[in-house]
Amino acid sequence: MEKFKGENVTLIAGSTWKPDEELLAAFINNNSNVKYIIAPHEVAPANINRIQELLKKRAICFSKADISDIDTYDVLIIDSIGILSSLYQYGNIAYIGGGFGVGIHNILEAATFKLPVLFGPNYLKFKEAVDLVNEKGAFPIQNFSELEALLNRLLNDKKSLQKASEICKKYIENNVGSTKIIINKVFNKKE
């Protein structure tokens, strides 16, 4: 991952579905100087092939990547399951899929690594997403033009990216221990 990323800003798109992938591909195909990691929710070969066909940039699947030339690719498609959470540490911005369907996937994994998070409009039943949107560490989008505008701002304005990253970091730090608090409340335990 370090060789793939190099010194480039990296966008990690996790748990994506077809509507997410179509929007992302439109952005990827028209933007340079950024590396992209796409970890689709569905890793069946037919879906991986569909994603590759959407892309006009040099793309390679994780299972076929070779350390000797991985840095020559613009897009790395994760065609296996179970490694997404360990990839966020290499990113600068995250796009979390599912927001154009029944709802977004976990955003806290990305926020833990200070990645500002973008996602589709169906996020309101997730408290952490609502909180981070209100604090300006996460950004919902409705369509391609909103995705493009947000990504361009975060990619081209280092202060905006840094501010959103710090908001995510602070949110995670302020909510460490939440699980223990909830369990104690549910089971009427006292500290």
Side-chain angles (χ1 to χ4, degrees):
M1 288 303 150
E2 289 175 5
K3 186 168 184 192
F4 171 74
K5 176 183 171 95
E7 297 297 317
N8 297 287
V9 171
T10 303
L11 183 145
I12 299 179
S15 299
T16 58
W17 293 85
K18 185 179 179 184
D20 305 304
E21 294 149 4
E22 290 172 346
L23 291 177
L24 288 164
F27 184 83
I28 291 167
N29 290 337
N30 292 304
N31 288 278
S32 300
N33 302 322
V34 177
K35 294 282 186 157
Y36 303 92
I37 297 173
I38 301 174
H41 183 77
E42 176 59 55
V43 296
N47 194 54
I48 298 298
N49 290 338
R50 182 188 59 77
I51 294 168
Q52 287 179 305
E53 289 174 8
L54 289 172
L55 299 168
K56 295 176 184 169
K57 298 283 185 173
R58 282 183 46 97
I60 190 162
C61 290
F62 180 73
S63 64
K64 294 178 175 60
D66 187 294
I67 191 79
S68 66
D69 69 348
I70 195 168
D71 57 331
T72 65
Y73 291 91
D74 301 304
V75 183
L76 181 62
I77 301 170
I78 307 302
D79 56 347
S80 60
I81 57 173
I83 64 170
L84 176 59
S85 62
S86 65
L87 298 178
Y88 287 118
Q89 65 186 304
Y90 301 102
N92 303 94
I93 301 170
Y95 178 97
I96 304 299
F100 288 95
V102 296
I104 60 172
H105 293 269
N106 186 335
I107 68 166
L108 293 178
E109 292 172 340
T112 296
F113 291 101
K114 302 185 346 178
L115 276 63
V117 185
L118 284 71
F119 41 74
N122 296 334
Y123 70 93
L124 294 174
K125 60 184 175 182
F126 302 95
K127 181 186 181 327
E128 63 277 5
V130 172
D131 290 347
L132 280 170
V133 166
N134 289 336
E135 294 179 27
K136 306 284 189 254
F139 308 92
I141 59 148
Q142 300 286 329
N143 52 46
F144 176 75
S145 62
E146 289 182 11
L147 173 73
E148 183 178 44
L150 273 167
L151 284 177
N152 283 333
R153 180 169 55 96
L154 292 171
L155 292 169
N156 298 317
D157 180 358
K158 289 184 181 188
K159 286 184 181 180
S160 289
L161 179 59
Q162 183 178 358
K163 183 177 179 183
S165 295
E166 289 302 317
I167 289 168
C168 290
K169 177 185 176 191
K170 185 175 180 181
Y171 182 81
I172 295 298
E173 289 171 351
N174 289 342
N175 287 284
V176 168
S178 297
T179 301
K180 186 176 182 181
I181 293 167
I182 292 167
I183 288 172
N184 288 341
K185 187 83 169 168
V186 169
F187 293 103
N188 292 321
K189 291 184 177 184
K190 294 182 180 173
E191 286 292 313

